[in-house]
């Protein structure tokens, strides 16, 4: 099982440790796991070049290419972020902005529908549920076939302050999630919402030629 991990923060706090707790439960070979941080990525400049002319024309392509290649080669995509003001970190959102061309409305990677996504967030008190929903939603729009969420309330400002009781509870949850994913691996089928969305997009690409590149992509895949 190949795993790509994207950390929405550079520091190794509660979020990083919860993600690693979960990785330990998944028990995959080190060489099958690639980890990335998103902090160095410049903000999207809104040039639309990725959509209209191709992703290689993005002025920041060299900052994101390696992680996108790993995501597209992975069976499981894990994305984490601390909850900041009831949302994901700004740097993670910046990464997601650069993935707009991979939305189902443009050029979703054909392998995505067989993949498993995991959205992880920690919060001191409130918001991790919302943050994992936001991360999961991004993966849904990439066409990821099955997405799990793992929100954790740590009641702390850092990993050392998190109580043993809460750590044990999180560990049990991580173990259950890992088991579910091991079972699901190789059996992912997109749900009804994803299939409906694909149908709508198919009609759109048949009828509208707003991006010749997108239309060609859908034709090349044999989808229209
Ligand atoms: C800028 C900032 C914003 C935060 N916003 C919230 C928040 O909206 N709700 C909350 O309960 N905790 C909030 N927190 C606390 C963190 O979500 C919490 O401590 C989290 O576990 C930090 O993860 P980390 O150790 O990986 O950085 C915030 C912390 C920071 C630094």
């Amino acid at each position: 099982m190949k795993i790509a991990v994207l950390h929405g923060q550079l520091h190794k706090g509660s979020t990083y440790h919860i993600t690693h707790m979960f990785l330990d439960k998944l028990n995959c070979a080190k060489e099958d796991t690639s980890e990335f941080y998103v902090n160095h990525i410049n903000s999207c400049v809104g040039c639309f070049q990725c959509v209209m002319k191709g992703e290689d024309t993005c002025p920041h392509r060299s900052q994101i290419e390696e992680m996108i290649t790993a995501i597209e080669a992975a069976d499981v995509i894990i994305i984490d972020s601390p909850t900041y003001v009831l949302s994901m970190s700004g740097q993670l959102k910046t990464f997601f902005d650069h993935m707009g061309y991979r939305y189902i409305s443009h050029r979703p990677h054909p392998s995505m529908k067989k993949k498993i996504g995991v959205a992880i967030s920690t919060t001191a008190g409130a918001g991790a549920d919302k943050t994992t929903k936001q991360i999961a939603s991004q993966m849904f729009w990439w066409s990821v076939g099955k997405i799990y969420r793992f929100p954790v309330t740590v009641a702390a400002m850092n990993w050392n302050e998190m109580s043993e009781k809460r750590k044990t509870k999180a560990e049990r949850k991580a173990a259950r999630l890992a088991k579910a994913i091991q079972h699901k691996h190789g059996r992912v089928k997109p749900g009804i919402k994803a299939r409906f969305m694909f149908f709508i997009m198919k009609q759109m690409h048949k009828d509208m030629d707003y991006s010749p590149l997108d239309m060609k992509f859908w034709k090349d895949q044999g989808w229209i």
Side-chain angles (χ1 to χ4, degrees):
M1 193 155 70
K2 285 187 96 158
I3 302 182
V5 184
L6 240 66
H7 295 290
Q9 72 294 332
L10 201 53
H11 60 280
K12 297 182 176 166
S14 301
T15 313
Y16 175 91
H17 280 95
I18 291 287
T19 295
H20 271 266
M21 183 187 264
F22 172 60
L23 282 171
D24 286 348
K25 301 291 174 200
L26 270 181
N27 200 20
C28 283
K30 271 230 163 1
E31 59 273 20
D32 287 335
T33 307
S34 327
E35 272 184 89
F36 300 93
Y37 300 85
V38 295
N39 287 61
H40 59 288
I41 305 169
N42 286 112
S43 301
C44 171
V45 292
C47 63
F48 275 97
Q49 296 299 294
C50 60
V51 173
M52 302 308 288
K53 293 201 172 151
E55 57 269 30
D56 290 337
T57 61
C58 170
H60 310 135
R61 187 69 187 167
S62 63
Q63 299 171 353
I64 52 175
E65 189 162 20
E66 201 188 345
M67 48 189 94
I68 295 174
T69 304
I71 284 173
E72 291 173 353
D75 302 299
V76 180
I77 306 162
I78 300 170
I79 306 182
D80 73 18
S81 171
T83 293
Y84 288 162
V85 288
L86 301 177
S87 190
M88 69 178 83
S89 68
Q91 48 274 40
L92 182 58
K93 176 61 168 59
T94 292
F95 170 76
F96 283 136
D97 292 344
H98 287 83
M99 286 294 279
Y101 76 97
R102 279 297 188 208
Y103 261 39
I104 192 167
S105 45
H106 297 293
R107 303 189 300 278
H109 196 275
S111 69
M112 285 290 161
K113 58 181 183 291
K114 302 247 175 234
K115 295 188 195 296
I116 297 170
V118 183
I120 298 176
S121 183
T122 72
T123 182
D129 197 48
K130 200 167 165 225
T131 303
T132 55
K133 268 188 194 151
Q134 292 165 349
I135 297 171
S137 167
Q138 292 299 320
M139 289 196 266
F140 172 81
W141 288 104
W142 300 349
S143 277
V144 173
K146 176 74 187 167
I147 305 160
Y148 296 89
R149 298 191 293 117
F150 186 10
V152 181
T153 302
V154 296
M157 279 190 283
N158 59 60
W159 180 246
N160 294 334
E161 275 180 13
M162 188 178 170
S163 70
E164 284 310 314
K165 196 175 162 201
R166 280 183 187 272
K167 282 181 185 167
T168 307
K169 195 175 159 200
E171 198 167 356
R172 275 200 222 110
K173 211 168 153 188
R176 279 199 302 275
L177 183 57
K179 214 169 159 193
I181 287 172
Q182 278 150 355
H183 177 74
K184 198 77 185 168
H185 177 224
R187 297 189 171 103
V188 177
K189 280 193 193 132
I192 189 156
K193 189 177 157 200
R195 282 183 280 131
F196 176 70
M197 200 49 73
F198 186 82
F199 172 78
I200 299 283
M201 294 302 154
K202 192 171 159 169
Q203 303 313 312
M204 189 181 83
H205 285 293
K206 263 189 204 164
D207 302 340
M208 287 164 66
D209 195 9
Y210 66 90
S211 163
L213 191 65
D214 286 0
M215 189 186 240
K216 182 179 178 314
F217 178 85
W218 277 68
K219 279 186 181 159
D220 289 349
Q221 299 301 322
W223 294 340
I224 55 174

